[in-house]
Amino acid sequence: MERVIKIEGGHRLNGTVRISGSKNATVALIPACVLANKPVTMYGIPNISDVRSLIILLNELGVEVIEKGDETLYIDPSHMKNIPMTSNAVSKLRASYYFMGALLGKFGHVEIKMPGGCYLGPRPIDLHLKGFEALGATVSYENGCCILDAKELIGTKIFLDISSVGATINIMMAAVYAKGKTVIENAAREPEIIDIATLLNNMGAKIHGMGTSTITIHGVDSLGGCIHEIIPDRIEAATYVIIAAAMADEMTIENVIPQHLDAILSKLKQIGIDLEVESDKVHVKGSTKPLKPTDILTKPYPGFATDVQQPFTALLTRCEGQSSVKETIYTERFKHCAELNKMGADINVRVPACFISGKTDLHGARVKATDLRCGAGLVVAGLMADGITEIHDAYHIDRGYDNLDGKLQQLGAKLWREEVE
Ligand code: EPU
């Protein structure tokens, strides 16, 4: 038996949806808390399964975690133990690798299983490890674990061959206690990096330049506690704006930082979607008029996010003519296309791009969420489709979308979970 998501498509949506705290910030902020010597309180924690996996890992490390209300976590690492991280929870998500930087920074030693997460093609972590080595750590492997060891970490200049989000954050965390100055060149500029650096600075770290491609970290001796409010999830926000573009008469997406959505909102306007942007909201006026095709190129921030191309591709099936999506981050990230084709889409994948011929009318089908954002694409498609869509492996979606069912139902969608053979 499996619990699937079922969507009866074709219902128009209306109303307001509130965006939760950023998943990709939260999954780094939680491990970052172990760098403190005092309690940290975080507001805006999304209710997603990746967070639950991280709480299990914190508990295993002897960190006290108290869930205060729906969205608040109190994390007290003052009595934690640096034990090997070998439990199953490590391989449930990609972001468990943030414990590498955090524990190496705090204790000079980490033993951890390799991370899991969505399969998007090869996802090496060589840049993280090269960064740790440059700071003075040794890297070895034993019984499926990666072991990082350093007598002391010493600040240095690290040039990232690729501006990797994960490597930038991991190196930043390892460097907060390093002696002297660390400079990360070609650093990633994603808003989540600013959020992690802000948390660390509020604990007492000295990080400058986050949000630019040069980040400087002056090592400190001790980090205290703090209170932190997580930024809104720009990928969840983009997904709901796309859902609104596809199916809403009028919809407001609130608790967003519109600047984080510039590339996506600009593409939506290009295809003919009527949008109004306020300081923390986006209003979408839906219409059934023909949409124009477009070409998308995924890029690091502030470019078009790779995590949004899948829901956007579902919407592009409604455009009259041929659209394309070219991936420059994960060149094989097109598993959603075969699933969308089962629903009547006409998408031709020629890695690293896919070509969407439209307009096609989608119909309900039995499909599989091969990864988190593929799942988001299938939800958008299911809402648009005629008939009932059955999404298998829905657990991928629950890794990253807080209260998806409740939020969509409140907007008027017909969506439910069902046990099927
Ligand atoms: N890369 C390397 N070596 C490394 C690290 C990265 O070659 O050591 C390559 C990757 O293979 C990829 C590119 O560099 O081609 C960029 O990867 P990056 O490290 O920036 O990605 P990440 O940190 O593993 C985060 C998000 C992803 C998001 C990417 C790109 C988290 C937990 N994950 O991954 O989010 O797609 O940045 O923006 O923050 C998602 O939310 O669905 C998701 C997959």
Side-chain angles (χ1 to χ4, degrees):
M1 291 294 269
E2 186 198 344
R3 201 163 173 77
V4 300
I5 294 180
K6 283 203 173 181
I7 303 174
E8 183 185 282
H11 297 281
R12 302 296 294 171
L13 307 179
N14 279 291
T16 298
V17 61
R18 188 173 183 282
I19 298 307
S20 302
S22 160
K23 163 201 170 256
N24 285 345
T26 304
V27 297
L29 290 164
I30 291 177
C33 289
V34 306
L35 284 157
N37 296 315
K38 295 261 169 62
V40 176
T41 300
M42 268 197 292
Y43 298 115
I45 299 275
N47 184 6
I48 53 175
S49 60
D50 272 9
V51 166
R52 288 192 285 280
S53 303
L54 288 167
I55 293 175
I56 293 173
L57 292 173
L58 287 179
N59 286 330
E60 287 172 1
L61 289 169
V63 176
E64 185 186 356
V65 183
I66 303 174
E67 296 183 50
K68 295 186 166 180
D70 277 353
E71 299 186 346
T72 306
L73 268 192
Y74 167 93
I75 299 176
D76 182 0
S78 30
H79 304 293
M80 69 178 290
K81 312 173 287 284
N82 185 22
I83 56 165
M85 299 185 68
T86 54
S87 82
N88 284 340
V90 176
S91 25
K92 286 222 165 108
L93 74 167
R94 181 91 186 141
S96 42
Y97 63 28
Y98 287 128
F99 283 103
M100 290 182 170
L103 295 175
L104 180 67
K106 184 158 179 166
F107 298 106
H109 180 83
V110 196
E111 200 171 326
I112 186 167
K113 265 203 335 204
M114 293 310 272
C118 292
Y119 182 77
L120 315 174
R123 296 181 80 182
I125 58 164
D126 55 311
L127 300 173
H128 305 230
L129 300 177
K130 278 183 197 155
F132 299 145
E133 284 174 327
L135 289 169
T138 58
V139 181
S140 57
Y141 301 91
E142 220 172 85
N143 303 327
C145 279
C146 176
I147 302 168
L148 306 175
D149 214 22
K151 278 209 178 65
E152 66 175 353
L153 295 170
I154 298 176
T156 185
K157 188 165 179 164
I158 296 167
F159 183 88
L160 295 179
D161 294 339
I162 302 171
S163 51
S164 152
V165 175
T168 302
I169 294 175
N170 238 339
I171 296 168
M172 206 162 71
M173 294 203 284
V176 286
Y177 283 127
K179 260 202 186 134
K181 180 167 98 171
T182 302
V183 180
I184 310 174
E185 291 285 11
N186 198 28
R189 292 182 289 157
E190 269 66 6
E192 293 75 21
I193 290 161
I194 303 180
D195 209 26
I196 315 318
T198 304
L199 170 91
L200 294 170
N201 281 346
N202 288 340
M203 289 174 179
K206 290 191 178 150
I207 305 175
H208 303 280
M210 55 277 198
T212 76
S213 55
T214 304
I215 298 180
T216 307
I217 304 124
H218 291 273
V220 294
D221 292 332
S222 171
L223 294 176
C226 70
I227 291 175
H228 184 79
E229 174 135 22
I230 301 166
I231 55 167
D233 193 312
R234 64 194 168 97
I235 310 299
E236 189 199 15
T239 305
Y240 281 99
V241 176
I242 291 167
I243 286 172
M247 289 312 289
D249 293 323
E250 289 224 32
M251 203 165 124
T252 301
I253 297 91
E254 64 176 28
N255 191 35
V256 301
I257 300 177
Q259 190 198 342
H260 293 173
L261 302 176
D262 274 349
I264 282 104
L265 298 183
S266 137
K267 276 291 161 196
L268 285 168
K269 282 186 191 152
Q270 253 179 47
I271 66 171
I273 303 296
D274 197 355
L275 298 166
E276 231 176 78
V277 177
E278 281 183 45
S279 59
D280 64 347
K281 296 183 181 63
V282 178
H283 302 283
V284 183
K285 265 206 182 136
S287 90
T288 43
K289 68 179 186 217
L291 297 177
K292 291 180 274 217
T294 191
D295 298 305
I296 288 173
L297 186 65
T298 67
K299 283 276 182 191
Y301 187 81
F304 192 102
T306 167
D307 301 332
V308 180
Q309 56 103 340
Q310 307 75 356
F312 212 108
T313 297
L315 177 64
L316 290 176
T317 64
R318 256 197 53 202
C319 298
E320 308 271 355
Q322 194 182 72
S323 299
S324 70
V325 176
K326 185 169 179 198
E327 254 296 343
T328 71
I329 313 288
Y330 293 109
T331 50
E332 297 172 24
R333 200 176 187 182
F334 290 106
K335 290 219 169 72
H336 54 291
C337 296
E339 302 304 306
L340 291 172
N341 283 346
K342 291 180 193 163
M343 300 177 69
D346 180 0
I347 307 176
N348 190 357
V349 177
R350 269 176 273 144
V351 166
C354 75
F355 301 87
I356 304 109
S357 301
K359 170 189 181 207
T360 49
D361 290 321
L362 301 182
H363 54 77
R366 196 180 153 140
V367 288
K368 185 164 155 180
T370 55
D371 58 75
L372 167 58
R373 307 302 171 188
C374 162
L378 297 177
V379 169
V380 176
L383 294 167
M384 289 162 60
D386 200 17
I388 293 183
T389 298
E390 185 174 304
I391 305 179
H392 288 252
D393 287 0
Y395 68 91
H396 279 297
I397 303 176
D398 298 328
R399 288 193 37 228
Y401 287 88
D402 181 356
N403 188 21
L404 178 87
D405 307 27
K407 288 184 184 184
L408 285 173
Q409 284 157 356
Q410 202 188 330
L411 294 166
K414 298 274 179 288
L415 171 145
W416 66 99
R417 307 268 171 159
E418 207 173 294
E419 299 277 341
V420 297
E421 289 291 341

